[in-house]
Every structure is written in C-alpha cells, then in structure tokens.
Amino acid sequence: MRIGVFICHCGSNIAGTVDCTKVAEIAKKFPDVVYTAEPMYTCAEPGQTAMEDAIHEYRLDGVVVASCSPRMHEATFRRTVERAGLNRYMFEMANIREHVSWIGKEKDANTNKAAELVEIAVAKLRNNRPLTAKTFDVTKKVLIAGGGVAGIQSALDCADGGVPVILVERESTIGGKMAKLDKTFPTVDCSACILGPKMVDVAQHPNITLHAYSEIEDVSGYVGNFSVKIRKLATYVDWEKCTGCGVCSEKCPSKKTPDAFNEFTGTTTAVSISFPQAIPKKAVINARHCRQLTKGKCGVCAKFCPTGAIDYAMQDSIVTEEVGCIIAATGYDLMDWTVYREYGGGAYPDVITSLQYERLLSSSGPTGGHLIRPSDGGEPQNVVFVQCVGSRDKSIGRPQCSAFCCMYTAKQAVLTKEHLPESQSYVFYMDIRAPGKMYDEFTRRAMEEYGVEYIRGRVSAIYPDGLGQYVVMGSDTLLGEPVEIKADLVVLAVGIEAARGTRALAEKLRISYDKSGFFMESHVKLKPVETNTAGVFLAGVCQGAKDIPASVAQGSAAAAKVMALFARDKLENNPQIAFVDLRRCVGCGKCIRCCPFGAIKEKDIRGETKAQVIETVCQGCGLCTSTCPQGAAQLSHATDNQILAEVNALCR
Amino acid sequence: MSNITDIRLKRDAGFIAEVEAASGQKLSTCYQCGNCTAGCPAGFAYDKQVNRIMRGAQLGLKDDVLNSRAIWMCLSCFTCSLRCPNNIDVAAIMETLRHMARKKNMVSVRKVEKFWFSFLNTVRAFGRSWEIGTMALYMLRSLRVFTDIDLAPEALKKQKLPFKPYVVPNGGAGAVGRIFKRYRERADREGVRP
Amino acid sequence: MPVMEGKELRIVGFLCNWCSYGSADTAGVARAWQPTDLRIIRVPCSGRVDPLFIVKSLLNGADGVLVAGCHPRDCHYSAGNFYARRRLEVLKRFLPVLGINDARFEYTWISASEGQRWQQMVTSFTNRIHALGPAPRFENATPLPKVVGMALPPSSRPLGTGKNAPLDDLKQGIKEKLPDLECVIGWQRGYDGVHTAPLFMKIPEDVEKLVWGPFNVANPAVYLPKFKGKKVGIVVKGCDSRSVVELLQEHLVAREDVTIFALPCQGTLDMSRVKEKLGRYTVVDNVVCDETEVIITVDGKKHRLPMNDFAQVKCRLCTKPMAVFADTPLGESPEVEIATHVPPELALLDAMNLDERMAYWSGQITRCLRCYACRNACPMCVCRDYCVSDSRDPRWMTQEADVTQKLFFQAIHALHLAGRCTGCGECQRACPVGIPILALRQQIARTVEELFDDYRAGFDPAAVPPLLSYEVEEKSIREREWK
Amino acid sequence: MSAIRFVTSEGLPTFLARLSRNSRVLAPVVKDSPKPSVMFEPWRESMPVILKKATVPPKDAVLPQCESLFVYKKSKNADNPENVALHLDDTAHATPTVIFACRPCDARGFAVLDHPFLDGQFVDPYYKARRERLAVITITCSSGCNTCFCHWVGGGPTSPEGSDVLMTEIDDGFVLQSITDVGQKLLDATDLSDGKDAFPKVEAARKAAWTSLVPAPDIKKAPQNIAALFNRESFWQKHASSCLSCGACTYFCPSCYCFNITDEGDGFDKNGGRRLRSWDNCMSSLFTREASGHNPRTMKAIRMRNRISHKFSAYPRNWGNFSCSGCGRCIGNCPVCLDIRDIVQDAVAVADSDV
Amino acid sequence: MNYAYYPGCSTQGASTDYEKSTRAVCAALGMNLVELPEWNCCGSTPAHAVDTELSAALCVRNLDIAARQESETLLTPCPSCLSNLKHAAKRMQNPEARARVNELLDNPAASEFPAVTSVMQGMAAHLDAKEIASRTRKSLSALTFAPYYGCLMSRPAEIMKFGDPENPTLMESLLTACSATVLDFPLKTACCGASYGIPERSMTARLSARILQLATDMKVDAIVVACPLCQMNLDLRQPQAEKAADTRFAMPVLYFTQALGLAFGFSPDTLGLEKLRVSADSLLRKLGTGAANAAGSR
C-alpha cells in the first residue's frame, strides 16, 4: 500500500500540546507510509484540496488523518478521498485532539500518544478493503403508531404530501391526551376546539387509513420495506354499520362502568362512545362490564341499535400493511403516583391528579365543568397544587423533568380562579420552567392577576385533619420556614412516563428506549426525530417530555423525514455490514440467534446450511462477528483482522 | 467591613470533604427543594432550617453551620432522610455536623449536651440509665432547678421514677464504665473533645 | 511505539462508537485532563468486543483493558451491550483462573454526554492499574515445578463395571433399527483388552463387536456433526448424551436424524491411572470384570482395579449416568443428587493465588505441542477444519511455540465453550502430555452456572444458551462501582 | 574399537554434570500432572535421573516445534519514506547438545530425519548445524511393550542406529558403549571407569530384551502393497473413520518431519519480522489447503493414506527404510486408539489377497 | 419457644407497665422471654448523638451477650433500643468500624449476632393474626384506636425493616385481630419530641399536641403506642401539651401490649393500667370491664 498521513495542527488546538512535526517524522517510519503532511486545518478547503493533490501526486491508496474525533469529520474526509478517486473506506482517522491534545498536559506524553494513535490507524488501514453500497426499492407508504396530536400532525402532513398513511390508534378514538384537556396554555383556548378540526381532517382525508382500537402486533422488514401486522381489537360493534347515534349507550343498563376517558372521575355505560367529538365516532363495548358478555344475558343494546351493528361474537382480527417508513407517536401516561404514601397513596379522595382535575374543569367532563370536591361535592375554597410529583425525584428513580407541568399548573390555577372567583390557589414548586413563547408572562399573570400564591418548596406530607380538610406540610425555602396550608382540594402535577406498552413496541421496532421508557432518538441534538433503526422516526412525547407545540412541530418534522426518504426511488445501504465466509461457516446459527435486527438467515447452499446476511437489514453492530467461533461472520470495516491489527500495534 | 457573605472566601473545601466522608452523603446532590424543612418536626425550634444547613454545608460555610442551634435541636427522626427526593440521608448529615461541632467544642445549645452527659454519666456509673439521677445531674449542670417540677408529683405518685439506681451486677457496670474510660482515653489520644 | 518508559503503562480501551467514544470526545471538548496511558480502539458496539481481544491484549503485554459501551437500554443497536455484559462478565470471572488479575480488566457503561464521568473513569482506572504495576507476563513466570496431588472427590454414587448391563438387548435394539440408519456409533475392543476404539456399525455383524463397560471412555458424540443430514444412531453414556443435547441445541444434528441408544453407565476408567497401575507391559493376558472391580492380567501378573479407585473423576461427580433422553433406553436411570464438589483440577487452582496460577500454567502449558488433540476430541468444537487457532484470516494466533500462544489457544477454547461445555473431559483425556486443561472449562462452566440461574449445558435441547441471550436486568451481574 | 565404560546408578548425576559442562544435556524429566508425562529438558544439577521412555521424543533437538529461519528488520529513512531498508539475519543457531537416555526408537528417528534434511539435493543448513552438534546417548530397552513394534520395522530394543552411545542397564549400574566417533570422544572425555568386564552382562540383558518381544509379522511387502492400494478409497475410509484429524500421532512421532512456513510481523518493530518453520500435521485438513482455498486432501481418509504411504511406501522407495521406528507413540497417544500396525498389516493382507 | 429479651432501661423505671403487659401478653402467646443477663443501657439518643462508636460499643456489649445465648432472635420492646442495637450491628459489618468499636470493649465482639427485632414483630412472626384472634377472650369491638408508632420504629427502612416506613401497619393487624376499630392515623410515624422533654420542653409539648389534637379530632378512644418515650410524652406530659395547645385532650395513651392484654382478658392490674396518667377508665367502661377502679384516677 501507499499510505499518506496528515497530522493536523488544528491551529494551536493540537499543535499547542502535541509536537506535530515529530509525530509526522515518526509516522514516516511506519510501514507503507510514503507521505506525511502537517496541514494547519485539514478540514478547511485548502487542507482538503492539498489532500486531494497529495493523493494524486504520491499515488496514495490509503489516507490517515490525525486530527479531531472521527465523529466530527470522518464523513468530511471520506468525501475528500472519494473526490480524489479513492474508495471512501480506504481512510482512517486518529483522534489526537479530543483524545490527546485537549486532555493531556505533558507535551512529551501527548506526542508519544499521538504517534501511537497514528500507528494504530495505519495498522488498521493496511487491512482495509474498498466497500461499496447496494441499492433497493422503497414502498412509499407510512405507518404512524399513535393518534395523539403528534401522530395526527404527522398523518396530515404526510397525507397532504401525497404519501398514503396507515394511522394506528390503540384507543377507540384519536385525539390522545390533548382531547382530554379543558384548555391549553398560554392562550387558554379550548383544547377540543383547536384539535377537533384536525381530527375531522384525519377522518376525511383520502390518503389516510385509520385503524382505531388497534395495536401493533409485529414488525418485520427494514427501511423501505416494512411489513406490519396490526391487531384490530374486538369492539363488539360493527363499525361499518355503526352511525354513532348513541342509542346503545342511552339504553345500556350497566351504568357504573369506570370511565377511562374521564380519568375515572366519573362513570359511563358498558357500551359507549368515549366523548362527543370522538373520531371515529363509533361505539365500543367494554367487555369487562357488559352484562351480555360477562353474564350472558342482557342484549339491550343489540335490541335498540337501529342498524344492527352490535356483534357480541366479534373476535380480534389481524391485518397486515406493507410500508416504507414507520413513525412512532405513542405519547405518554402519568406515572403511578400512589407510591407517594406521604401524600396518602391514593387513599384521600380530594388529592387528585392534574389530568383528573382537567376533566373536572372540562365542560365535557363528568361534572359538566362544575368545579367540585370529589369527596363531598362542595366547592373548594383553598386549592393546593403540588408540582414535581414523580418528577425530579431520584428517590423513586425518576430524575427527569416532565417539562410541561409548570405551565399547566399555572393554567389550572388560573382556571380555578375563573371557575370559583372566591377561591385561593397555592402552588408548591421547585423551579418554574417556562421557557416557551409567552410562557413566563403567563405564569406571571397567574400570580399578578389571578392572585395565585407560589411557594417555593416541596411538600413533605399531606394528611386529612379529621375535620374535612387536608393539612399540606410544605416549606417556603425563600422564606426559610416550614409552612402548612389547610386545603380543600389538592392537585398533584404527576410526572409522566412513556405510555404503557412502549417497551414492547420498541422491541418490535428494534429501537432503544431510555430508563424512563421513552424512545431513544438517534442523536440527542442533531437527530432528534430519527432512531437508530433506519426508516423509524419519532414524534411527540414518546421521545421525551414536550408540550403541544413541540409535539406538533416534531410531528411535522417526522413527516418531513418520511417525505425526504420517499423522494428517492431507490435506497442505498451502509456497506459497513457483516458478511459470512461461507467456507468457514458451519451453520450453527449462533449469529442468527443473537442478531438484534434479525438480519441473518439460514440458507441452504449445496446441501449445507449456511448463514447469510440480509444486507439491507444489517446495521453493522458486529455482534455476529464476536459471536461466531470460527470467524466466519465478519463485520466489514471492523473485521477481526482489522481490530487485531490495532491490538497487535499496541500489545506485543 | 461588609457583612455580606463572601462565599468564595468562606468556602472550606476540607470541611465539605470531611462532612461527605463522615456521613457518606454527597452534598452536591441537594437541589434545595426544601422537603426536609417541610417535614421536619423540630423546625420551629431551629435558628436555621434544615435546607439552609444543607446549603451551608454545600457551600462549605463551616462556622455558620457548626454554630447553628439547629443541629442540636434535631430529633433524629429521619423524616428528612425518608422523604428526600435525592436520597440524601439528611439526618446522617445533621448527626455528622453535631459530632464535628462537639469535637471542636462549638456547642451552641449547651443544655442539650448537658442533658446527654447527665444521662450518660448515670450509664457510666451504673451500666443503666437512671431517670432521677439524670435529672439531678442535669439540674446541677444547667443550673435549672426542676425543669419538670410540674411532672414530679404525678410521676412519683405513679411510681414511675425509682429512687435507687439499678447497678448491673456481676461486674457488668464496671465493664460499661471501662467502655467510657477507653472512649475518653482514645478521644484524648486523638486530640478531640470526648 | 513504546509506552513512556517508567511513566505510562499499557492500557487499551475498546469503546463503542456511539456512546463511550462520544463521552471521551465530550471529555476532550471540556478539556477534562486525563492520564495519557489509555489508547482507544474504536469499535461499532461493545457487542463487537470479542472477549478474546481482551485476552489477547492481556497476554501480550497490556497492563489494563477497559471496555466501555452504551448504558443498558441505550445501545445504538438495541441489545449489543446486553450481550457484551454477559460475555464480558464471564471473561472477568475467567481471567483469574489463568492467573490474570481481573482488576486489570473492567467494563462499564457511559453515555456520550458523560464527559466528566469518563474523565473520572479513565483516571480511576489508570490509577488502579498503576497501583497494580506492570502486569506480570507468562513468559517471565517461573514455572511451578511441583503440583500438589489432587484429592479425589467422594463419589456421588456407587460405581461399577456395568457387567450386568443388558448389552444383548442393546445389540438387538440396534439390529432392529440398523436398516433405517446409515450407521450406529459405539465402541469395540481396541488394540488390546484394556482399550476400546470407536465402532461404526453398518451391518448386523458389526453390532456383534459392540462392547459396554468401563473401557468405553471416548465420547462418540464427537462424530455426530459429520453425519449431519443423514440418519445415524449413537450409543451413549449419560455424559455423552449431554454432548448430543448440545449438538441438537446448536442445530448441528437434527433430532429426527439421530437415534439414541442408551444404557445407564456405572463409570468408566481413568486410563492414565490404569496405565500407571499396569506399568510397562507387553501382552494383556486376561480382563475380567466383577460387579465393582476390573481384574486385569498382563504379562502373567494380576492387577485388581476397584472402580471406586480407578474411575474417571467426572464419573465420581456424575449426576447423569443415563442419557438425558434416548429413543431406545434400556435400564433404569438412577437418581443422583447434584454434587457440589468442586472438581479437583479446579479446586487445586482455587487454592492458589494469582502468581501461583500464572506459574502453574506457565509450567504446565510449555509441554503443549499444539497437536490440538484437545480440540479435535471435543464434541463441541464444531468449527473443525476452520478453527481460528490455525487460520490466517482471521489471524488470531501465530505458529510460534511460546507460552502465550499455547495458553491463548486454551483461552479461546474455553471461552468458545462458555455455556456449551458439558464437562465431558475429552480435551484433557486426549492430551498426550496430560496438561490439566479441563480446569479452564470447568471455571467457565462454574461461572455460567453462577451467573445464569444454575444453567448447565447439555440438559435441554430447547434451552437458549445464556451467552446467546440476555436479560435487561441481570439478576447476578452487578456493574461495578467505580472507586 | 569402541569405548566401553561403566557407571553406577549413583554415579549418573556426576556423569551428567560433567556432560553439562560443555553441552546442553537433554534428559528425561517427569512432569507432575494428573496424567504424568516424561519430557526431555535441559538437565540441571539436583534433578533426579529418570530413565523412562519419554512421552515426547527428543526430535525437538534437531527440528524444533517452531524455529525462526530468519529474522528481518525493516527501517525507513525519514527523508524518503518510500525507501525501505531491509536487514536479514539467517544465521543457523545451534547449541552443542547431548541427548541422554532416549530409546533406540527415538535415536532411529534421527537416522530417518537425516536422509531428507542432509542427504538429498538440498541440505537444510538449520538442521545440519544442530545435527552436527548433537550427541545421542541411548538406553537400550529391557523389554517390549504393548504399543511398540520397533522390531517390525527394522529396529529393535537394542538397535544402535542413530545413537552415538548405547547404554544398557545391568544389575549394579550401566554400561556405556560408544557406537560412533562422536560417542567415543564423548566417553573419552569423561572419567568413567572401564566397563569391558561387564560387557557379557550387557549382551545377556540385550538378548533377554529381544526374547521378551512378541514375534513380528512380515511387512516387507508393505511398500508395494500400500502403493497398490493408493486409489482404493474404501480401504482408507475404513481405517480413517474414527480419526479425529489431530496431531497426537504426527507431533509425537520421532520420524515425522513435515513442516509449515509462515511469516510473522512486518519487520518494523523491535522484534523484527520472523520467517517461522513449525511442525505440520498431515492429518489436519489445513496441511494441503492451498492459498486459493482449494484443498486436494479434504477427506481425512486421503490424509491417512498420505501418512501411511509416506512412512511405509514413499519414504522407503526414496531412502530404503521405513520412516517409522516403531516407537508406538501414535498408538498410545491416539484419543481413539487408532493402531498404525493394524493398517499396515491390513494393507499387506488386502493387497496380497487381491493378487 | 424461647426468645432472648432485652427490656431496655425505660421498662425498668418509667414504663414498668409496658414491661408487665409485654410479659403477660407474650406468655399468653406462648413466647418465653429470656432476659439477657447483665444487660446494659444501649446509650439511647445521647450516646449516638455524642459519638457513634461509643453508642455502638454500648450496644455491642449487649449483642455480644446475646450471641452467647441459644436464641436466634433478640427481642426488645423499645424502638429506641431497637434502633441503636440494629445500627450497631450494621456498623460492625464494616471491618474498620468493627476494629474501632472493639477497641472500646473488654473483649472483641463475636463475629455474628442474633437478629434483633421488636417485640411487636416477634409476636407477629410467632403467631399469625388468626391464631392471635383465637386467643382473645374479650372483643375490643367497642373501641376505636389511633395507632401511633413514632418515628424510630420504621426508619430508616433499610435498617429497621418494619415495612413501609411511611405507613407501617403491623400494629393495626394485631389490634384488628382483637376486633378493635383502628383508624388510618396519618401522623402514625410523626415525631413526638423524643428525649427533648427535659432540655427543650416546648418541643415535645408542641409535637405531642399536634398528635393528640389529630387523635382528638378523629374521635378515637385512645392512642396506642409501642414506645416508652412516646408514651411518656403523650401521656405523662399531656398537660404540657395541653398548655401549649391551650386545650384539653384527656386522651388515654396505651401501650399496644396493654390493648392486647385487655383483649386476652388480663386484669388492668396485671397490665399496669394504673400507671397511666390519663386514666383508661373510659375504655374499660366501654368494654364493660368491672375493674374500672383499678385503672388509677386523678
């Protein structure tokens, strides 16, 4: 080989603590190195041009750049060598900035280390092989999991862009959490009024197929060619026939069915439509509370249904959709706050969650928007809001901030005053997080115009005083004193967690999730919508706590990603993937068992079972390579021999 | 002279390290939510609330913290530790500070310490505690005559207070006494206040 | 390029590209000063880090090796670090048996944002390695000359000669099935009366040659993979059947293709002790078995060999005298309690400190001629002609006859057997120079048992081998504290 | 006239100490292990004198398991990195060596190796250097054993071939008889007492050894008969079916000499690059795997044919005698008890019956 | 069954009624309490407030005596003693601390100590609720109790191992077994002011008042406690609390053993009810127990 080594000074970033000239001198003595240079800034245009020239002039067939992290400029330099006619994989980087010059104080040691990192890079490069990508077709259709506001936005944007959309929603209606909210901050508009039209658009859009009351059963395939099995749960109502007239619900005798849509603040009937603006506006029978389904006698709804839509014998069914991309927009749930025994652990009727309070405030809620205490139906005078219940609490393993509680708490305090002008609200908070547009102004208004008392401090305990009120033991850290408030109603701003089933879905989609169960984006800053599985994108709170505008924005961003991907007719794979040396393979299948992507399959080759890599599915982790005992499975660009060359350069 | 706290000058890094080592807690994990203060039953008797003690320790304001009354009034009920969202054993820090203050003879609430010694003296002498002895010693030490004089008649009537101490037999009292003796000798050796 | 003499030690880091390498970058961007010893090798995923890279580094002069990957659940590839955790933990617990201090190897999880933690980690790990000093090397170790005798563990059951085994019924059974089978593998008399050799029965006359008894030491399962796709029968002892189970588990033979004939085994002889007892002899005059003893007459001299004294150690610890399952089982399977005795080869090492172990191996392994009888006799060495030990691509080893190469091969074999080794002991039995290499496999098996719910290979063909699976929350693996 | 000396059992250490002054003395040592083995190792004072037949023959003394044929160092000039200077060192290193107490079969192994390495068209300088500095003291066997068959292949328990000194145990000590000039010089340089008087006892002991042997079959026809079976695959398959393709036979054979050559290291580091010669094993499928991946001997039966044919047919045709000294290690070591005697006898018989 | 038993100093002085009732109830349940010979004071709060190692040494002397007894379990009725003994045992697991504590002792302590647990847990482990119910002779169904554990019994959770540190329920299960009505008392683990009654009377007065006030508001017949110090603060010091709160409580404060003893049919005398400052007569009347006069009077 003829290798060129470029030792970048990076101004004084590297040259300040590394003797670059000496490194270049040493590098000249490495095998196959025929040329070295010391550009001031290799990544700058003159640096790149000089590199291209050197490749031509010295007939280089491999290049090592010793500079910053490959995570920074590997892609840049690969393009550079490619412009000069080399294969982009005949290139290696030695990170002598982040890993040397910026972290080591002594120039001698730094110089020695830098030279050694260059030696490792040369050793690896001498084992590199040119790699080329493969192309394949794309199915231009997207599946969106979750019909909350983020999923709705993605669906509408994709559909408007001409991409057919399969929207899968687990509940019987789309709308998600936003549909349950009374008002939205900071404008205090009616939530249903702004979301409703979008929901209707989903129902009417010719490019959108909606599967409500459905779950994702299985996902196979890869970017451009996913195959998704959807389980349509039994509704016991034939939606083809159901007109949403509501007669069934009126007649249903099982009136004490817990009302999940109202966060169990009230009851509903066993057959019901979750709320008046539901999309699709279709009835569903709650099998656990339906007398016909539990006891085998009733049949009232079937008798009264004008279209004969009731079908007690209905079973779950499976449909399969072929799509090219998947957007996960599965949202969140509130954490189980009853772990807080010091707040009563759920035993006190007037200590409720913020989402329950939202339903109590809502005119479509169980009280018709009349704000009352659940215990006795009286109007509360003193309402205490406690923030960060299940957020920023390491002691229960939830160190993260739920991001939007500060704002909705302010909104709820404002609404409390509007509903009950005589009432007084108190908010226990740690920090007010109001960085959005008009957000801080809104919290100020709550204090200044609505007289909400903000008390900086956490609440240690809440207990009934035996006389009908609740003692809230808090502290005012600004005052430097413990404080106690007797409250009529306590609203807990309960922290959020990824929606139930998120982990199972992550495993089906082969994407990762963080400690709190939220899906992992590909890069926390630069790829917030992508995942590490090509073709799977994220929208909304399933990726991390965010408020409605951010969810909507991410919904649109995910749609843009889908459309950008679909703008091409063919896709290229990353050639840094595994391959199998068929002669070495004994067909033991260990690689197949542990491949996280299902990217290896058995293949019969001349009567012998062999492993074969599905090149479009392989993501290049190399687990198969370290699993294969005979070294038959090798990861291109990180083969055993390439890593061994690096090890051997260091240890001999 | 300004009486504004110069937190840069007052910061005692050695003190922070000492508190962390002795208590096994990491002070920087405290984010000042005030939950300790909110739940502290003795807070009303403090000069500085628990969260301010925590803040002082965090900043390394050694004298401020060790001179506080609060560390002497802490009841060691562990409510703060139990409810701390950052899993800090606040009670352990309070106890650590109390030990440090005692060893350095920075006892801002002498009567509490006097009570403890009165109690421990009966233990040292007899192997077990003796209420009347404790109270008598305490009165001598604190020059407070019969703090609980209102209780005495009732207590005596109900025979709640034995007039004679119980001495642990078979050399037991002596063994306990030797524990105290060795403790005192070691403290002397190590140059700390016993 | 050497390390800075007297200043630095050789510390190798394997960092996953996505999280850990990023954390090192983050630390750099934050100008978080670190010791300069560490050299980072970038790999796509911690799951790519074959434990053998670490063994190779440590055998060839690394004073410390650090592997870092994404936090559990944060893996860029979903699960690479979960597999890595199991494999690296097994390695961590394996290194000491070689005499390598496991403190020289550490693995940890760190995310790209944790630059400060990376700094702490590098600093504390480097400090730790400096406190340990330069790693002792096998080639410099003074071989341990004398090996303390290994005490025989008590036998978990009465041993015998298998004299009354229904051999004729077995022969009949084989003859019945023989027409449907390519052949049936068993044992026949070897070159003299105290040795047996493998027998491949194809015609009924061959079946008459079949023998059963304490001389049937070889494990016939080693031949099975060669018959993949063909109908074949095999006569097994309990221990042999565990190898068959493993081969089934690895799809190297299909259940429908193999017919298992089994008799309960009463133990087989430790041929090296038999050889020592008989001494140099010319002719075997006679071999007679009674229930518990083998009586061998050579060159006119009679030797009595009670099974209780001359059986293989594995037979003394055997819990599975009868096949795990069989198509044609004959005889009852005796119930044997699971022995808790540490095998003597391993107990010997357990009693040594690290230096002694290193000296022990350096003394034992020099004899190795790299004949690979250990490997080729191993029924689980399924790579056969494509073993990495004598391959140039990948090129893990050289042909050099030094201690590190020889020991590295044993490490390869042992680590490749993790979760697969049934402890049949063929490797050690086959070794012509008697190197007690079984101990390395036993340590691996013990580690797997400890870490993965008492998993023992060779009992369930449907089991997922522990090194090919993972738990999100591992019950028995605790990532270490960094102090 | 050969030198004949006598040494008592107690005198052996002094004798060995004396030999050690000028040479490396390789003597059998018992290695502690669950399965004891006997290895040749450099003798040092205080080591017990062991006379057992070694597990591994002393072939290593002339043909090491692995040796560097040459070492090369590459260096580059910083002014012109394209220019690589090469320094090559191919000195054949050899230490004067005495092998003590090997067996006649081991010594015959040297005689087998000498032909291809010294007598052919090309003389192997590395082998030659070591062979010329080697003296072999062989102890004659007092009896045969269950696996050895030296008398089948032209040797015997007291065969002098390949030895410089023959040593025979008699009741009160050992008689050493020089066979070659090297042996004579070696004995002359010692102060051992004369042993001529004891020689009749030696002759008696040697005779007794021969009479203990089981009579040998006639395998004289082996070369042509085995050649005749060359293409009969079924014959080789029958005999190779249980073979595991390991090297327990060849690596322990005093007369196997196949080797492999590999290069290690690029020559730029301080250790330099090495061209290694290491033992190879014809039973391994890698033995004839070509660089292209093609392998003319993928089947172990064909590899078995190679081993047997080479020892009992090809080598005799080239050099006159079998390249087997009948030590029997391949039989005793084989994990599956393959017996080369069976194969040869069967070959003789099968080919005969064909006629 | 035999249990090693560490009574603690309080039960020998101010709280002999706790001791009497504990012994009576344990005997009724078939638990034989074997008092540790020559036991000494655990050091209570003052010892650990002064020095942890001193506190540990005092406790370890007792644990060491217990280690030489046959029993596997050491019971103590006093949560303060329990806490000190458990903390000391935990401390001794650290070799450095062990060495420092051993320095203070006559002889190095035993390497292992018997498990220390509360009498309450000992009872529950000895017999299940059903069996306890079967031993009641008198139903307590007429009575409504506020269970009060104090702060030490359940905290710190990892050392005391007394169930949910915010909401222990063991006392409830024992009292419910005797058919008593037991309310969910929110301040069941709040602090009563502990040993500060002497040096800082206002503290105990205020904290006890809060507990007494809630119990009064919840209209219970009595507060049931498990700690001598709590009992003293709530009962003997009740007038001080009343003064601080400017109200009158007249709230009887019983040991749980006294409540159980009533259910088992023991006489008020056997249970030492006369020692209570706030008379339990009202309870006895509700129960219809004749010996109301024995319960002392003002």
Side-chain angles (χ1 to χ4, degrees), chain A residues 13 17 26 30 68-72 74 78 92-95 97-106 108-110 112-113 115-117 119-120 503 506-507 510-515 520 522 532-533 581 583-591 593-597 602 609 619-632 634-635 638-641 643-644 646-652, chain C residues 1-4 7-8 10 12 14-15 17-19 21-22 24-45 47-51 53 56-58 60-62 71-80 83-84 87 112 137 228 248-252 382-384 386-388 391-396 416 420 461-465 467-470 472:
Chain A
N13 275 312
T17 55
I26 297 169
F30 294 149
C68 51
S69 171
R71 286 161 56 95
M72 176 84 90
E74 190 171 56
R78 277 182 176 168
E92 285 297 325
M93 268 182 103
N95 183 347
R97 192 177 75 177
E98 284 85 345
H99 292 188
V100 181
S101 71
W102 279 353
I103 58 154
K105 290 180 179 170
E106 288 175 49
D108 277 0
N110 281 358
N112 178 63
K113 183 176 178 184
E116 206 166 17
L117 294 185
E119 187 181 7
I120 299 173
R503 284 159 209 235
E507 273 147 35
R510 296 197 166 100
I511 60 179
S512 341
Y513 48 91
D514 65 19
K515 270 194 203 117
M520 287 283 287
S522 194
N532 290 333
T533 298
D581 178 342
R583 274 175 311 176
R584 300 192 75 84
C585 177
V586 299
C588 67
K590 295 186 181 74
C591 51
R593 285 201 200 212
C594 65
C595 176
F597 304 98
E602 268 187 12
T609 309
Q619 302 281 311
C621 66
L623 193 56
C624 53
T625 312
S626 53
T627 302
C628 178
Q630 59 269 37
Q634 289 291 336
L635 176 63
T639 60
D640 281 343
N641 273 2
I643 297 176
L644 281 169
E646 295 177 89
V647 170
N648 290 340
L650 290 171
C651 307
R652 50 189 153 213
Chain C
M1 189 68 34
V3 294
M4 303 285 283
K7 214 161 148 189
E8 287 182 351
R10 173 55 81 217
V12 182
F14 293 93
L15 272 64
N17 178 52
W18 304 98
C19 296
Y21 196 91
D25 284 355
T26 308
V29 172
R31 310 296 198 277
W33 301 117
Q34 295 157 38
T36 50
D37 309 46
L38 180 74
R39 304 287 181 266
I40 293 171
I41 294 176
R42 183 167 67 126
V43 290
C45 175
R48 173 67 188 92
V49 182
D50 192 322
F53 288 130
K56 173 125 180 138
S57 305
L58 288 170
N60 288 291
H71 284 285
R73 294 202 193 88
D74 292 0
C75 178
H76 182 83
Y77 304 104
S78 294
Y83 289 99
R87 293 166 189 189
R137 298 186 69 151
K228 189 178 183 184
L248 290 170
Q249 190 188 66
E250 298 188 6
H251 308 308
L252 291 165
V382 294
C383 305
R384 296 292 154 190
Y386 289 95
C387 176
V388 291
S391 141
R392 296 284 281 186
D393 184 11
R395 186 180 186 177
W396 286 91
H416 280 176
R420 309 169 62 231
V464 180
L467 275 290
L468 295 180
S469 64
Y470 63 87
V472 173

Side-chain angles (χ1 to χ4, degrees), chain D residues 53-287:
Chain D
K53 182 175 168 186
T55 315
V56 183
K59 179 171 74 177
D60 196 65
V62 289
L63 187 62
Q65 190 185 342
C66 181
E67 64 176 316
S68 286
L69 298 182
F70 55 76
V71 175
Y72 50 95
K73 290 202 173 179
K74 291 182 186 165
S75 55
K76 286 168 77 175
N77 183 342
D79 298 332
N80 179 10
E82 303 215 19
N83 192 354
V84 179
L86 178 70
H87 174 80
L88 191 136
D89 176 8
D90 63 351
T91 320
H93 298 280
T95 319
T97 300
V98 177
I99 292 172
F100 172 74
C102 70
R103 296 293 173 129
C105 46
D106 300 340
R108 279 196 83 216
F110 295 122
V112 170
L113 301 184
D114 286 346
H115 288 308
F117 283 109
L118 301 177
D119 303 342
Q121 199 178 349
F122 301 102
V123 173
D124 186 288
Y126 309 97
Y127 181 88
K128 183 163 181 267
R130 281 186 287 261
R131 189 68 175 101
E132 281 171 350
R133 287 170 182 75
L134 180 72
V136 180
I137 302 176
T138 304
I139 182 160
T140 58
C141 298
S142 57
S143 69
C145 83
N146 61 329
T147 48
C148 57
F149 57 106
C150 47
H151 57 304
W152 294 29
V153 290
T158 66
S159 160
E161 219 181 332
S163 303
D164 296 301
V165 173
L166 269 191
M167 174 170 142
T168 302
E169 183 168 17
I170 53 172
D171 31 356
D172 48 356
F174 300 88
V175 171
L176 291 93
Q177 173 196 13
S178 71
I179 304 296
T180 63
D181 289 349
V182 173
Q184 178 140 10
K185 276 185 203 140
L186 184 142
L187 289 183
D188 286 347
T190 66
D191 49 7
L192 296 184
S193 59
D194 191 84
K196 281 198 193 71
D197 296 349
F199 205 69
K201 284 187 185 170
V202 169
E203 286 178 319
R206 292 182 182 176
K207 203 171 167 196
W210 276 93
T211 46
S212 79
L213 303 179
V214 177
D218 181 2
I219 59 165
K220 279 203 262 326
K221 279 195 273 180
Q224 57 271 34
N225 282 18
I226 288 171
L229 290 170
F230 191 82
N231 289 320
R232 192 172 302 173
E233 227 168 63
S234 61
F235 175 84
W236 300 109
Q237 256 161 4
K238 176 175 75 179
H239 285 290
S241 55
S242 63
C243 173
L244 299 174
S245 301
C246 72
C249 42
T250 59
Y251 282 11
F252 290 79
C253 175
S255 58
C256 270
Y257 54 83
C258 288
F259 56 76
N260 186 16
I261 290 183
T262 48
D263 285 359
E264 290 299 339
D266 53 34
F268 282 93
D269 65 11
K270 65 175 191 308
N271 301 329
R274 285 92 62 212
R275 171 151 299 174
L276 303 175
R277 172 160 73 184
S278 50
W279 293 351
D280 207 345
N281 164 27
C282 58
M283 302 311 292
S284 156
S285 89
L286 268 70
F287 185 67

Side-chain angles (χ1 to χ4, degrees), chain C residues 2 12 50-51 53 92 110 112 128 162 172 182-183 226 237 263 282 293 312 385 434 451-452:
Chain C
V12 182
D50 192 322
F53 288 130
K92 180 122 179 120
I110 184 156
R128 181 204 288 186
Q172 192 51 43
E182 181 104 349
C183 81
K226 280 276 174 208
K237 311 186 289 289
L263 289 178
T282 319
E293 269 187 341
Q312 298 198 68
D385 298 342
L451 291 177
F452 309 118

Side-chain angles (χ1 to χ4, degrees), chain B residues 23-77:
Chain B
S23 65
Q25 307 301 310
K26 197 164 152 54
L27 292 171
S28 61
T29 49
C30 172
Y31 60 26
Q32 283 294 310
C33 68
N35 203 337
C36 43
T37 298
C40 181
F44 66 89
Y46 288 2
D47 54 341
K48 289 187 171 73
Q49 291 302 321
V50 197
N51 68 299
R52 282 189 63 193
I53 300 286
M54 287 297 296
R55 182 68 185 141
Q58 218 172 32
L59 287 173
L61 306 181
K62 178 177 169 184
D63 291 346
D64 287 19
V65 170
L66 294 187
N67 280 325
S68 74
R69 272 176 62 82
I71 57 175
W72 299 95
M73 305 309 289
C74 163
L75 294 157
S76 302
C77 74

